[in-house]
Amino acid sequence: MEPSRTSRQVIPLVPDPLASSVPLFDPNQLPLRTWCEGSREDAVTGLVAFPDFHSDIPRCLAAALEAGQLVALAIGDVDGLKDHVEHTNSTNPTSYGHLAGNEVMATVGATTREWFREQPFDSGCAATFGGDEVILAAIVDDAAQFHQALGILRDRLGAVLPVTVSFALMFVTAADLPATRERSWKHAFTDALLATVDRTLFMHKAARRAGGGQGGVIAVTRPPLVSDADTAAPDPLALLPLPAASDVVHVVARPERIGGRDFLLLPCRGPVGQRGAHLRVTFPTGSSKAVVAYALRGQAMVPYAAVTDRVSGVPLTVQGVRDRTPRSVPEDLAAALERAGLDWSAVPAHEQAQILHLITEAGTAEVRTGRVTAAVDAVAARKGAAR
């Protein structure tokens, strides 16, 4: 017997938490340009679904590298997502399961899509990876420019999310292509690159947890060597500049033994000249040390005394140190050097410090004048020795 319509119980409407945690995206606005066209979208993030990305990207990547183009690969991972979900579920009675995580990832996807539309590259895409990660792949013109653009995305995500997002980044060139290309080499090559980026990301996240540092970093690495015997110089287009004074970069450095000494190769361009560049390096233990970086075949390297055979990469935080410049030279010494046509930078840094200390400690004007004259003579002697 059909129940009476008048006797039907009225059930109050309860807001559906899924409505806010899983928004609907326009599939015609997928974040892709020529790469991965025809892909499905991930329902939570609105990005390219990983299975389609993983199917198409090896061919796109190989074609770009064989054409001599520079490719950027980046993976972003939400910091502390599990803790955020557990905290939300324990404090919000309408939240359960992974709804809070869905809300975070939906915001990650929407923000990434908006950022992607603003980028100048003609070929690339943004995809999901592992549920709480995002992959970016694109042909870029300049490594440093893309590094800065990725920093903008990182900052935007930090502004709209209750958590931060950390990234790892790699630049790949034709020199990184394998010399021997067997069947299915494109997928094997791409998987090796993505694995290196992913390991870079989690090395820095582990170092952050151990050292109590903040999230939201961008860690940069180089592709794995094609062969241990390969000594060709890296393409400078794929290397970042060394950080300027007070700038900070996060990198994974590769151990290398050169002339019986241990060094770490940074994914950065080496300094020009023999004097090197001063850096402050923070190691995974949290300890910091001032070092001098030199160039090896155009790539920056710093000395390191604890490399073991089983270590393939060391996560570092590298900060530029302001070198002494003519602006730090006292006016009377600077004027005397200018009259003599001499370059203060010809004097090694440790000698500069000694000379400046002697001038500063002069007790009388006469003594100071004598020491300024002696300093000019020392610079002139250095100039003569250089000839």
Side-chain angles (χ1 to χ4, degrees), residues 151-186:
I152 293 174
L153 175 59
R154 182 268 318 270
D155 294 342
R156 287 185 185 178
L157 291 169
V160 298
L161 293 174
V163 287
T164 57
V165 179
S166 292
F167 287 88
L169 172 61
M170 168 192 289
F171 296 101
V172 195
T173 69
D176 301 307
L177 287 168
T180 302
R181 304 177 187 181
E182 300 177 352
R183 186 177 180 181
S184 300
W185 71 269
K186 295 178 182 178

Side-chain angles (χ1 to χ4, degrees), residues 224-245:
L225 287 175
V226 175
S227 168
D228 292 338
D230 183 13
T231 58
D235 192 325
L237 291 175
L239 298 175
L240 293 179
L242 282 173

Side-chain angles (χ1 to χ4, degrees), residues 83 115 212 338 344:
D83 292 340
W115 173 88
E338 185 176 358
W344 176 241

Side-chain angles (χ1 to χ4, degrees), residues 10-85:
V10 178
I11 301 175
L13 292 176
V14 177
D16 182 3
L18 286 175
S20 60
S21 68
V22 185
L24 296 177
F25 293 101
D26 181 359
N28 295 321
Q29 297 297 320
L30 269 177
L32 57 83
R33 294 188 193 131
T34 71
W35 284 7
C36 300
E37 287 184 334
S39 296
R40 295 163 293 179
E41 74 170 358
D42 176 72
V44 175
T45 63
L47 304 179
V48 174
F50 180 74
D52 292 342
F53 170 87
H54 191 245
S55 175
D56 292 351
I57 202 65
R59 173 184 51 80
C60 301
L61 176 64
L65 296 180
E66 288 171 344
Q69 295 171 305
L70 177 67
V71 174
L73 293 175
I75 297 178
D77 180 74
V78 178
D79 301 315
L81 182 60
K82 181 175 182 289
D83 292 340
H84 169 69
V85 171

